[in-house]
Amino acid sequence: MPQPTTHPRLLWRDVTVFDGLETLPEPMAVIVEGQQIAMLAPMHGVDAAMFDDCREMARGGVMTPGLVDCHTHLVFGGGRAEEFEARLEGASYEEIARRGGGILSTVSATRAASEEALCEAARPRLQALIDDGVTTVEIKSGYGLSVADELKMLRVARRLGETLPVRVVTTLLGAHALPPEYQGNSDGYIDLICEEMIPAAAAEGLADAVDVFCETIAFSVAQCERVFRAAEAHGLPLKAHAEQLSNLGGSAMAARHGALSADHIEYLDQAGIEALREAGSVAVILPGAFHTLRETQAPPIAALREAGVPMAVATDANPGSSPLFMPTLMLNLACTLFRLTPREALAGMTAYGAQALGLGQYGRLREGAPADLCLWHLDSPAELAYAVQPGRLQQRLFKGELTHG
Ligand code: DI6
Ligand code: FE
């Protein structure tokens, strides 16, 4: 008689495994025990007696690590459909931002909303990511732009992670835009971020990292660097929105500070690529914003690939530049718009997405790894990027628990 165990051993047979970096060449058997992947082995070599005490979960299909969406702004108040229409009539994202719309319109709505209201508004967006296979998600603040409102956003993000079956990583993005009360005094606002916002978020343990928007419509390289020094003083990892609409050299500065990632990077130059490579920073590719803003300058994918810079792919889910809450659509757009291969796109939303969050133990399917897994109704992993089709998620495991299927 098999000994009763506290955790049943869960078994999948004959699955095609994408392990976070590549597709394994043979059909595999996977066993999960507790919160870990206990076994990953080619079917042909395993002794079937091993399966006797297992609960069979499925046969066949494609198995991947749970998806990692390493860049979202999914906590926010209000919506921006009018801005979408204004852009269709010819207004640019920058013009709208300069006349106080854009990010600042979301700031007004977010400041006016209670923690409960923000949580209720964000929940279905996060659920959409979960239903598309996400098990780890990063959520940024950046629509509060005061100490109290930025902390409020981070608390909402933490609370979402406590109430839904997904790992939430939070990022303080106080340096996202200049709030109206600091008009003409952007250095004063940077002081507030460095002297009050970062210390308060660190004291309450609300931020896992600190991000900046380095851009002509946001903050200069020097201002972003001040924010980074304050974050470093509190031991917080760094990320940067850089080279999205122009090239200011924000990515190279971020790399010099050992940032986890530089994100967007449409206008990244060769010097920036070298800096990322030397620092081991991840290049986060955000095709949703490129698509939504109808941009024409694509990130330098071939040069990044050539330099061996790891590339992550994320939704950038937000009300303005990427109101797209479907991670697998981003796999498709990364291929069609930027010519990533399906393998690169999928690695970008698993292994390298996790690396962009400093969580290298996730986003991988290997023995000993955490049991965050997706089983898909597919014949090959490339189909995940090739077709855009909701409903292909067959099973989803979060921390070893079946949460879908
Ligand atoms: N770049 C983006 O694409 C998002 N933030 C940023 O710095 C857009 C945020 C928004 O438009 O609300
Ligand atoms: Fe963003």
Side-chain angles (χ1 to χ4, degrees):
M1 278 283 286
Q3 291 300 305
T5 50
T6 30
H7 297 291
R9 284 156 61 84
L10 310 180
L11 166 70
W12 289 262
R13 292 190 210 223
D14 280 312
V15 289
T16 301
V17 169
F18 178 84
D19 72 359
L21 294 174
E22 59 188 4
T23 301
L24 303 184
E26 310 179 53
M28 303 296 284
V30 179
I31 294 177
V32 164
E33 196 169 355
Q35 298 197 17
Q36 271 199 342
I37 298 170
M39 193 195 83
L40 171 67
M43 278 303 294
H44 82 260
V46 288
D47 175 2
M50 279 204 62
F51 301 155
D52 287 354
D53 66 341
C54 292
R55 179 193 299 168
E56 184 166 291
M57 303 296 286
R59 284 189 191 216
V62 166
M63 187 178 272
T64 67
L67 302 185
V68 179
D69 190 351
C70 70
H71 181 140
T72 86
H73 310 245
L74 62 78
V75 172
F76 57 84
R80 307 249 288 274
E82 316 80 61
E83 178 187 322
F84 178 63
E85 294 193 55
R87 281 203 313 274
L88 293 175
E89 283 159 16
S92 77
Y93 185 72
E94 288 97 321
E95 277 159 24
I96 292 167
R98 288 212 172 83
R99 58 175 193 243
I103 293 174
L104 289 184
S105 72
T106 300
V107 170
S108 312
T110 303
R111 286 179 172 182
S114 68
E115 223 170 284
E116 287 67 30
L118 287 174
C119 211
E120 284 321 299
R123 191 186 310 275
R125 298 174 199 134
L126 182 51
Q127 188 66 50
L129 304 191
I130 291 171
D131 292 343
D132 204 32
V134 168
T135 52
T136 298
V137 63
E138 183 252 23
I139 302 179
K140 300 176 194 294
S141 65
Y143 295 120
L145 310 187
S146 69
V147 175
D149 290 305
E150 286 292 300
L151 296 190
K152 174 176 76 175
M153 288 190 70
L154 293 172
R155 265 186 225 110
V156 170
R158 283 272 191 254
R159 199 195 308 174
L160 288 166
E162 286 155 15
T163 54
L164 287 170
V166 65
R167 181 174 303 96
V168 171
V169 176
T170 60
T171 300
L172 174 65
L173 177 55
H176 194 196
L178 186 63
E181 60 278 14
Y182 279 87
Q183 229 22 267
N185 180 19
S186 62
D187 284 319
Y189 181 59
I190 296 291
D191 291 341
L192 177 78
I193 294 173
C194 296
E195 291 161 22
E196 295 182 40
M197 207 179 272
I198 290 174
E204 290 194 41
L206 283 172
D208 299 317
V210 169
D211 196 348
V212 295
F213 187 17
C214 188
E215 193 52 69
T216 49
I217 55 168
F219 299 99
S220 70
V221 174
Q223 290 173 325
C224 293
E225 189 160 25
R226 284 180 58 206
V227 173
F228 281 175
R229 289 210 188 91
E232 283 164 350
H234 288 87
L236 292 170
L238 312 174
K239 305 178 79 67
H241 285 71
E243 274 70 68
Q244 179 183 6
L245 307 166
S246 63
N247 184 325
L248 300 186
S251 303
M253 184 279 288
R256 280 201 303 279
H257 283 266
L260 288 171
S261 69
D263 303 36
H264 287 289
I265 58 165
E266 278 82 346
Y267 287 81
L268 187 68
D269 58 15
Q270 195 58 36
I273 292 172
E274 289 306 319
L276 293 181
R277 184 184 57 75
E278 277 165 35
S281 303
V282 177
V284 178
I285 306 300
L286 302 168
F290 177 92
H291 162 78
T292 300
L293 300 183
R294 306 178 74 243
E295 297 289 344
T296 50
Q297 165 122 0
I301 299 302
L304 286 163
R305 180 188 290 132
E306 174 76 13
V309 175
M311 292 183 273
V313 176
T315 59
D316 196 17
N318 77 68
S321 68
S322 190
L324 307 172
F325 301 87
M326 189 179 181
T328 55
L329 170 62
M330 300 305 138
L331 300 177
N332 177 267
L333 293 179
C335 296
T336 51
L337 298 175
F338 297 157
R339 307 186 70 183
L340 268 72
T341 65
R343 186 198 67 74
E344 286 174 326
L346 204 42
M349 210 172 261
T350 52
Y352 296 133
Q355 190 177 326
L357 297 176
L359 295 175
Q361 69 275 37
Y362 297 100
R364 302 296 291 272
L365 205 168
R366 55 185 174 192
E367 286 181 2
D372 291 354
L373 300 173
C374 293
L375 185 72
W376 306 87
H377 288 292
L378 295 174
D379 294 322
S380 80
E383 288 178 74
L384 210 49
Y386 151 72
V388 179
Q389 186 181 342
R392 295 177 299 178
L393 184 64
Q394 184 179 343
Q395 291 174 348
R396 175 186 181 276
L397 231 70
F398 176 63
K399 295 187 179 175
E401 300 275 345
L402 190 67
T403 60
H404 176 106

